Amino acid sequence: MRRTLVFCGWFVAVCVGALHAEEGTSPVDVAFKAACDGSEQRYVLIVPPKFVADRPHDVLVALHGHGSDRWQFARDARDECRASREFAARHAMLFVSPDYRAKTSWMGPKAEADVVQIIGDLRRTHRVGRVFVCGGSMGGSSALTFAAIHPELVDGVAAMNGTANHLEYDQFQDAIAESFGGSKPSLADEYKKRSAEYWPERLTMPVSLTTGGQDTTVPPQSVRRLAGVLKTLNRPVLLIHRDAGGHSTDYDDATAILDYMIQNAKPSPD
């Protein structure tokens, strides 16, 4: 079963159900026409159990890791994903998990444009309060990138096991080059633009972070440095670093940084 909705001139295909609480909280697969290139892109939307259409609801945008897609944070039982879904449900938030040019996004220009468009579409079709962004690994890196480039759209960010410095990071370089539009030597300014460590002054929202001392997939140094600078700037920042930790965040730590993010965010304007 498919339903077709038209929002502000963009074609949106919604699979299995509409966007109302009375139809349950199962994930809804949403397709939209990307404004930046006309391609069909997708995100998963989970409406909270206590959704009320005529009052504002906050949004949690959850960004998947390298090699995954929109369904990772919507369905996966791993701690980072489960903690994010349960956090959103507790706070009656709209939960949004985009493809953002899966499976090797790294928040390049097209992925960035898609997330901006998704947030805009949600604001046109729902009463949206605040927008929070979280993610793990590539998703954690991408959450920091998006918040640094679009601080006006983000009320809080929770990044798990990500990098804050693409000029320094040396893994997955083929995928990142494809996403960013070229290699690091040829597009150094683009890599710097997408490195949150270089733009701490833009991170005015609460920033919460997890890192692992034994993480060799996405080493923790850049995120730890960023946290130190944010503390110096008296910004609301929480870093949970586990010396023995690897490339994952457990349920309790994921929940702790999500809780810190919302507890230190500005009140909803509505």
Side-chain angles (χ1 to χ4, degrees):
M1 173 183 174
R2 296 175 67 90
R3 296 191 180 187
T4 301
L5 307 177
V6 178
F7 297 138
C8 299
W10 295 111
F11 168 82
V12 179
V14 179
C15 304
V16 192
L19 311 182
H20 299 287
E22 62 268 25
E23 297 194 41
T25 59
S26 297
V28 178
D29 197 16
V30 181
F32 65 97
K33 183 178 180 181
C36 68
D37 65 0
S39 64
E40 181 181 279
Q41 300 297 322
R42 289 181 175 270
Y43 64 90
V44 175
L45 174 66
I46 301 177
V47 175
K50 296 180 180 180
F51 179 78
V52 180
D54 62 356
R55 77 168 180 84
H57 288 263
D58 292 338
V59 173
L60 181 64
V61 178
L63 303 174
H64 62 80
H66 182 94
S68 296
D69 62 15
R70 65 194 183 279
W71 293 106
Q72 183 187 45
F73 266 80
R75 288 178 172 168
D76 204 303
R78 64 182 294 143
D79 283 354
E80 297 96 326
C81 304
R82 184 166 58 90
S84 299
R85 291 193 301 271
E86 293 179 4
F87 166 82
R90 281 196 305 276
H91 293 278
M93 303 171 82
L94 294 165
F95 183 87
V96 176
S97 183
D99 263 346
Y100 74 112
R101 305 291 164 144
K103 296 184 175 182
T104 56
S105 163
W106 291 98
M107 199 52 74
K110 291 181 179 180
E112 173 198 341
D114 289 349
V115 177
V116 170
Q117 183 176 344
I118 289 168
I119 292 171
D121 287 347
L122 287 170
R123 290 194 180 281
R124 284 188 288 273
T125 57
H126 294 76
R127 290 195 64 192
V128 169
R130 299 166 297 181
V131 176
F132 299 93
V133 183
C134 73
S137 188
M138 178 183 81
S141 309
S142 297
L144 289 171
T145 295
F146 190 81
I149 296 175
H150 294 285
E152 76 285 357
L153 298 179
V154 179
D155 294 284
V157 58
M160 296 170 271
N161 305 105
T163 184
N165 192 321
H166 279 290
L167 289 176
E168 175 183 88
Y169 187 57
D170 62 2
Q171 305 266 10
F172 305 107
Q173 292 302 291
D174 289 345
I176 294 172
E178 182 176 352
S179 175
F180 287 11
S183 66
K184 194 180 300 184
S186 64
L187 285 176
D189 287 347
E190 189 70 26
Y191 282 68
K192 183 177 181 179
K193 175 183 177 181
R194 298 181 185 281
S195 300
E197 184 178 6
Y198 290 99
W199 316 105
E201 71 280 2
R202 298 180 183 175
L203 297 174
T204 56
M205 72 294 292
V207 176
S208 50
L209 310 154
T210 63
T211 54
Q214 306 305 310
D215 188 349
T216 58
T217 303
V218 186
Q221 287 83 357
S222 65
V223 166
R224 297 186 72 184
R225 292 192 303 262
L226 174 63
V229 173
L230 292 173
K231 287 179 182 178
T232 300
L233 295 173
N234 293 316
R235 300 293 171 73
V237 58
L238 171 66
L239 170 65
I240 299 178
H241 176 74
R242 302 297 182 189
D243 287 333
H247 190 58
S248 63
T249 295
D250 67 24
Y251 183 89
D252 289 343
D253 285 352
T255 299
I257 66 167
L258 290 162
D259 285 344
Y260 178 90
M261 174 185 70
I262 198 168
Q263 288 165 5
N264 288 275
K266 294 179 180 179
S268 174
D270 294 318

